[in-house]
Amino acid sequence: MTIEYATRYRRASRIPAEPGTPYFIEKGEGDRAHLFGDLITIYAGGEQTENTFNFFTVEGPKGDLIPAHLHPDTHEVFYITHGAVRLFVEDIAGNQQEKLLTPGDFGFVPKNCPHAYRMERHHSQVVGVAAGPGGTFERFFENLGASTEQLGLPTEQVIPQPGKFASVPEQYDVRFLPDHQWQTR
């Protein structure tokens, strides 16, 4: 049996709204959102961890580069469980690098470091953890994209309205860098 909770984000969630409550979530049954062609599943967020970290997965098809962005107050971890993901990063001195990550590979992006990624194989999956003094950004995905109860990838891409790009990211410690150029591939 899985317990459902009402939260300020959803009428039904398997994640309790307050910290201090132990819980379990079966595979894929976290809070789900579609953004572009990806499925994001949240398993733990700021509400449960007193804004110390979050834990989520991003699954997607082979596709385009996710736009360059940074998190002023949040460190981010990329752990690949399926497929292949190319991670692009730039340190605070401006040195760029990229790495193709496959199952079992790990990437770490410190706060304030521009980064982007691209799913290189269909059905790739990243396990993400983000932590930092400024809170967590997991609710960014459903506020920019669309909450869903559907399991699996979206049947059609979920493209945010232009106004959302102007307002939602800053609320969740995400700063897009539209003019950023990668010197790597």
Side-chain angles (χ1 to χ4, degrees):
M1 178 174 101
T2 302
I3 299 172
E4 285 196 351
Y5 304 89
T7 72
R8 64 184 175 157
Y9 298 103
R10 297 170 173 268
R11 58 183 169 72
S13 174
R14 289 166 180 81
I15 303 173
E18 302 297 327
T21 303
Y23 63 97
F24 303 94
I25 298 177
E26 294 175 12
K27 181 180 177 180
E29 289 295 320
D31 290 351
R32 295 182 297 280
H34 288 152
L35 181 57
F36 304 112
D38 296 342
L39 169 67
I40 297 92
T41 306
I42 310 296
Y43 292 93
E47 303 90 5
Q48 297 74 45
T49 67
E50 297 174 346
N51 274 330
T52 57
F53 74 93
N54 62 24
F55 185 94
F56 60 94
T57 60
V58 178
E59 296 177 57
K62 182 177 181 177
D64 296 329
L65 185 68
I66 298 299
H69 63 282
L70 60 79
H71 308 287
D73 290 319
T74 307
H75 306 281
E76 189 171 5
V77 166
F78 291 77
Y79 181 80
I80 310 308
T81 57
H82 302 299
V85 176
R86 186 170 304 276
L87 182 59
F88 299 81
V89 296
E90 182 177 306
D91 66 23
I92 56 174
N95 301 308
Q96 293 186 0
Q97 56 185 313
E98 71 174 78
K99 176 74 175 168
L100 180 66
L101 303 173
T102 58
D105 290 344
F106 173 91
F108 175 72
V109 180
K111 67 181 182 177
N112 274 316
C113 289
H115 59 286
Y117 68 90
R118 179 176 59 227
M119 303 290 195
E120 296 286 351
R121 294 187 192 137
H122 291 298
H123 303 290
S124 292
Q125 184 182 53
V126 176
V127 171
V129 175
T136 60
F137 62 74
E138 71 281 349
R139 297 299 170 188
F140 163 81
F141 302 113
E142 64 193 350
N143 282 284
L144 190 63
S147 296
T148 184
E149 293 300 314
Q150 175 186 330
L151 292 172
L153 301 178
T155 54
E156 293 182 16
Q157 287 216 351
V158 176
I159 308 297
Q161 297 296 320
K164 281 189 169 185
F165 274 109
S167 62
V168 170
E170 288 186 18
Q171 296 173 32
Y172 296 99
D173 196 38
V174 178
R175 197 172 97 211
F176 284 109
L177 306 168
D179 298 325
H180 193 80
Q181 297 293 316
W182 295 106
Q183 304 305 314
T184 58
R185 291 188 235 170

